[in-house]
Amino acid sequence: MLNIENRCCFTGHRPDKAPFPFDPQNEQYRKIVSRLVTAVAKMINEGCTVFYTGMARGFDILAAEQVLAFKLKRPDIKLIAALPFDGVERSWKGEWHERFCSVIRECDEVVTVCDGYHNGAFQQRNEYMVDRCRHVIAFFDGSNGGTANTVKYANLHCRHVLNIYDTDPIESERIDFSAYFRILPPEKE
């Protein structure tokens, strides 16, 4: 049986569904990145060493990039990409496609959950991750959609959900992790 206690996954909005631009110049974006870094650090300090990302544009990729930054100092940390189906990124252009490819190259494992696209493929991927993790870091504004479904599923299965959207639930525990902080996407090689 899989030990889920040291595992964490991410769920959150895509850039087109986020209530503010995913832009390092935007103050709300910078605040979310800061909360994300602190949340990942908190999970690591509590013993999490395996992180799952669904690799969707937006929060999933941003979260994966932060885990990879921590991994530079903590090689025992593992990042697993859970793709809903092979080729999910094929229609993406520009920055998000480049960031997707960069993260995939650095993942410890890539899992393809479904044989191909179908209406429930993304939710099936989300449930796959939640089923394998005790902790979920969410960027969830309360709106309907895939993130809402994933948070609901996690709550129904008694997972610990840490939502960094509108409050910083770990403010009192904030530590300086600037050495790990990656607000901008990695430079092109």
Side-chain angles (χ1 to χ4, degrees):
M1 184 171 179
L2 181 66
N3 177 9
I4 66 171
E5 293 303 315
N6 71 335
R7 294 168 179 249
C8 179
C9 65
F10 303 97
T11 187
H13 300 297
R14 295 186 177 132
D16 53 318
K17 294 191 176 188
F20 51 81
F22 269 50
D23 179 347
Q25 303 304 314
N26 181 285
E27 183 179 339
Q28 290 173 296
Y29 173 83
R30 290 194 308 270
K31 193 178 294 185
I32 289 300
V33 173
S34 177
R35 290 175 184 172
L36 173 60
V37 170
T38 304
V40 171
K42 177 180 172 53
M43 292 297 108
I44 291 170
N45 287 341
E46 291 178 4
C48 283
T49 55
V50 180
F51 292 84
Y52 284 80
T53 175
M55 290 302 295
R57 291 182 320 273
F59 187 73
D60 288 6
I61 290 177
L62 177 63
E65 290 169 342
Q66 303 312 314
V67 171
L68 290 172
F70 276 98
K71 204 171 148 59
L72 294 172
K73 302 271 182 173
R74 290 280 309 270
D76 60 315
I77 293 170
K78 304 294 180 222
L79 180 63
I80 300 172
L83 305 179
F85 52 89
D86 188 40
V88 66
E89 82 292 353
R90 284 189 188 129
S91 65
W92 303 358
K93 304 288 184 230
E95 175 190 3
W96 289 111
H97 188 269
E98 291 171 17
R99 289 170 77 174
F100 175 93
C101 293
S102 177
V103 168
I104 287 293
R105 281 193 301 271
E106 295 186 56
C107 282
D108 294 285
E109 186 179 347
V110 178
V111 176
T112 304
V113 177
C114 303
D115 291 334
Y117 173 79
H118 60 84
N119 283 340
F122 291 96
Q123 186 60 27
Q124 191 173 341
R125 179 265 326 266
N126 295 340
E127 291 175 9
Y128 173 90
M129 293 190 304
V130 170
D131 289 345
R132 285 156 179 75
C133 297
R134 174 74 180 104
H135 308 278
V136 179
I137 297 174
F139 169 55
F140 175 49
D141 68 359
S143 61
N144 291 330
T147 300
N149 294 341
T150 305
V151 168
K152 182 178 180 180
Y153 183 84
N155 285 327
L156 286 171
H157 289 83
C158 302
R159 299 310 196 249
H160 172 249
V161 178
L162 179 60
N163 185 6
I164 64 171
Y165 174 72
D166 57 1
T167 59
D168 190 348
I170 48 183
E171 185 65 44
S172 64
E173 301 174 31
R174 185 167 305 284
I175 321 169
D176 181 18
F177 290 101
S178 58
Y180 300 109
F181 193 52
R182 199 187 266 186
I183 194 164
L184 298 172
E187 291 290 324
K188 293 182 188 177
E189 298 178 352

